[in-house]
């Protein structure tokens, strides 16, 4: 039987933060799945800061979402009709289904997301692009060694919460940076960081110097935010340190020039290395990353944390803005039709 689905489409390219005018909600009728295909009812949408970049028509690692196109998004869903034996009816799957209620898939880029002890939001968080970003960013790009000193910004966010916990597993000294006292308490008390600096209420430069002590420096700076905090971090590097350029959320809604690091010469002074990366670069090793992360989850060494918003595809924009307002602790997920 054909299935009606509501879909969120890009109506206008936003200047700065997206708003209700950025989107159209349309209704489509999906045909029954053809041979090799299956129909998915989307239950959870992954909300990611990178989605903001996909709305701009400028060169990036993926083509922008086109005007009139369905908004791209990672999601979890349930197979409700199937003509593909790898994904029978009832299977929980993870894939790039977009901001829709239902999607037809042929299985490309889709993985089975089932384990009795793992919640759907954790498949998008610790076991999804988020956790894999932390894992490959910290261990491969950051070349983390046991016992080093790690600084991570956005420490109470989706990627940051995993970075903190992974670095603690490796016996590192971990200093987080996050917005607000509540977040900082969470980063120290629940994630186990050694210190956390509230960049909204504290002098980051002075607090970082204090946390590092007289001869201390940062061996790995895991940068989720860019801008001013990156500039400050550059002044506190250890010799041969690594800066993992994961994201620059402080700049994503800039309508003018982005704030670049004025203190970049410290990379020379400290013989440091700054490297950008995309989690997709490690796609072939995702099974390795997922296995390791699942193992630590089951041992209780990583605690997953999600910021779940219940709603419909119409609530996408409000839920998405939580990322830029800093309203979330952990992974932002829009749960559809709960
Ligand atoms: N390279 C990759 O492959 C890859 C993959 C996934 C994610 N990323 C990047 O990783 C970063 C974190 O992503 P996520 O999914 O984990 O998001 P998130 O950290 O859960 O959410 C974003 C957080 O950023 C902080 N923030 C917002 N505006 C800010 C500003 N102006 N200055 C400083 N902090 C600000 C807020 O926390 P506060 O309240 O603490 O400000 C907010 O909670 C993003 O930059 C994202 O683009 C990269």
């Amino acid at each position: 039987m054909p299935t009606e689905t509501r879909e969120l489409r890009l109506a206008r390219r936003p200047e700065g933060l997206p708003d209700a005018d950025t989107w159209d909600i349309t209704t489509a009728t999906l045909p029954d799945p053809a041979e090799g295909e299956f129909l998915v009812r989307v239950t959870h949408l992954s909300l990611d800061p990178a989605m903001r970049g996909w709305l701009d028509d400028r060169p990036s690692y993926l083509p922008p979402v086109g005007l009139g196109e369905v908004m791209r998004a990672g999601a979890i869903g349930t197979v409700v009709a199937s003509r593909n034996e790898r994904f029978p009816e009832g299977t929980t799957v993870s894939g790039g289904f977009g901001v829709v209620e239902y999607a037809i898939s042929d299985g490309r880029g889709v993985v089975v997301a089932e384990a009795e002890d793992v919640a759907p939001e954790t498949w998008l968080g610790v076991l999804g692009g988020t956790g894999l970003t932390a894992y490959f960013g910290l261990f491969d790009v950051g070349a983390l060694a046991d016992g080093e000193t790690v600084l991570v910004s956005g420490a109470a966010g989706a990627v940051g919460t995993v970075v903190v916990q992974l670095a603690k597993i490796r016996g590192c000294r971990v200093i987080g940076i996050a917005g607000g006292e509540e977040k900082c308490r969470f980063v120290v008390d629940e994630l186990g960081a050694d210190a956390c600096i509230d960049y909204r209420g504290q002098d980051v430069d002075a607090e970082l110097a204090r946390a590092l002590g007289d001869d201390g420096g940062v061996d790995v700076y895991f940068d989720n935010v860019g801008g001013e905090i990156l500039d400050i971090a550059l002044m506190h590097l250890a010799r041969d340190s690594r800066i993992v350029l994961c994201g620059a959320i402080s700049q994503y809604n800039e309508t003018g020039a982005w704030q670049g690091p004025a203190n970049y010469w410290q990379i020379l002074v400290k013989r440091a290395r700054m490297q950008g990366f995309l989690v997709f670069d490690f796609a072939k090793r995702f099974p390795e990353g997922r296995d390791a992360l699942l193992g630590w989850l089951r041992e209780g060494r990583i605690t997953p944390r999600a910021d779940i918003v219940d709603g419909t595809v119409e609530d996408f924009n409000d839920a998405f803005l939580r990322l830029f307002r800093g309203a979330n602790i952990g992974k932002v997920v829009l749960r559809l039709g709960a």
Side-chain angles (χ1 to χ4, degrees):
M1 224 178 49
T3 306
E4 282 217 334
T5 175
R6 284 190 308 159
E7 304 176 328
L8 183 91
R9 290 175 184 271
L10 180 62
R12 269 165 224 91
R13 299 205 180 279
E15 287 270 314
L17 288 171
D19 61 19
D21 291 340
T22 306
W23 312 103
D24 276 335
I25 305 278
T26 58
T27 303
T29 304
L30 300 178
D32 288 338
E35 186 55 40
E37 293 181 340
F38 52 94
L39 177 68
V40 179
R41 182 171 65 80
V42 173
T43 56
H44 297 75
L45 288 167
S46 174
L47 302 197
D48 299 281
M51 291 168 143
R52 177 62 192 84
W54 305 340
L55 305 180
D56 292 331
D57 189 6
R58 60 179 167 208
S60 190
Y61 57 93
L62 281 176
V65 175
L67 290 175
E69 284 180 6
V70 169
M71 181 58 192
R72 189 184 289 144
I76 297 284
T78 307
V79 177
V80 291
S82 180
R83 294 184 65 192
N84 181 321
E85 60 188 22
R86 282 176 53 226
F87 301 97
E89 209 177 307
T91 312
T92 303
V93 289
S94 175
F97 304 124
V99 184
V100 297
E101 294 173 329
Y102 289 90
I104 295 272
S105 170
D106 60 9
R108 263 179 292 182
V110 176
V111 295
V112 173
E114 286 182 347
E116 267 178 19
D117 52 346
V118 178
E121 57 274 15
T122 305
W123 283 101
L124 296 177
V126 176
L127 297 182
T130 294
L132 294 166
T133 297
Y135 179 90
F136 291 110
L138 192 59
F139 296 154
D140 280 74
V141 184
L144 185 70
D146 291 352
E148 287 191 317
T149 296
V150 175
L151 176 68
V152 51
S153 53
V159 173
T161 51
V162 185
V163 170
V164 170
Q165 296 179 89
L166 290 179
K168 287 313 294 179
I169 288 171
R170 294 289 297 272
C172 293
R173 174 162 66 139
V174 182
I175 303 167
I177 301 177
E181 281 177 33
E182 184 202 348
K183 286 193 179 187
C184 273
R185 259 197 310 277
F186 165 78
V187 169
V188 172
D189 295 348
E190 293 187 42
L191 302 181
D194 299 273
C196 182
I197 300 165
D198 166 13
Y199 77 91
R200 292 186 201 273
Q202 290 184 299
D203 176 337
V204 178
D205 190 38
E207 290 303 319
L208 187 51
R210 206 156 69 94
L212 288 167
D214 286 346
D215 323 306
V218 171
D219 296 304
V220 173
Y221 172 44
F222 196 104
D223 185 19
N224 284 315
V225 305
E228 194 184 344
I229 292 175
L230 168 59
D231 244 336
I232 295 170
L234 287 171
M235 297 307 293
H236 295 273
L237 297 175
R239 184 164 165 169
D240 298 318
S241 49
R242 286 82 66 202
I243 300 141
V244 180
L245 179 42
C246 176
I249 192 169
S250 71
Q251 307 299 304
Y252 293 170
N253 290 291
E254 267 309 322
T255 48
W258 283 30
Q259 181 181 348
N263 296 334
Y264 74 92
W265 84 93
Q266 286 296 314
I267 295 173
L268 179 156
V269 172
K270 297 292 166 51
R271 287 74 137 186
R273 169 168 69 75
M274 181 165 179
Q275 190 182 336
F277 78 105
L278 277 174
V279 65
F280 311 118
D281 301 340
F282 295 92
K284 286 203 176 110
R285 290 176 55 203
F286 282 178
E288 166 207 319
R290 271 206 194 90
D291 282 353
L293 291 160
L294 183 59
W296 287 315
L297 271 174
R298 287 184 166 150
E299 288 165 16
R301 302 182 79 189
I302 296 181
T303 304
R305 175 78 181 224
D307 176 78
I308 298 177
V309 179
D310 282 314
T312 70
V313 291
E314 285 179 48
D315 297 304
F316 171 84
N317 199 67
D318 284 348
F320 183 53
L321 292 187
R322 294 178 69 74
L323 294 164
F324 301 99
R325 295 192 177 122
N328 64 307
I329 292 186
K331 173 77 193 169
V332 183
V333 171
L334 177 58
R335 184 162 57 186
L336 297 184

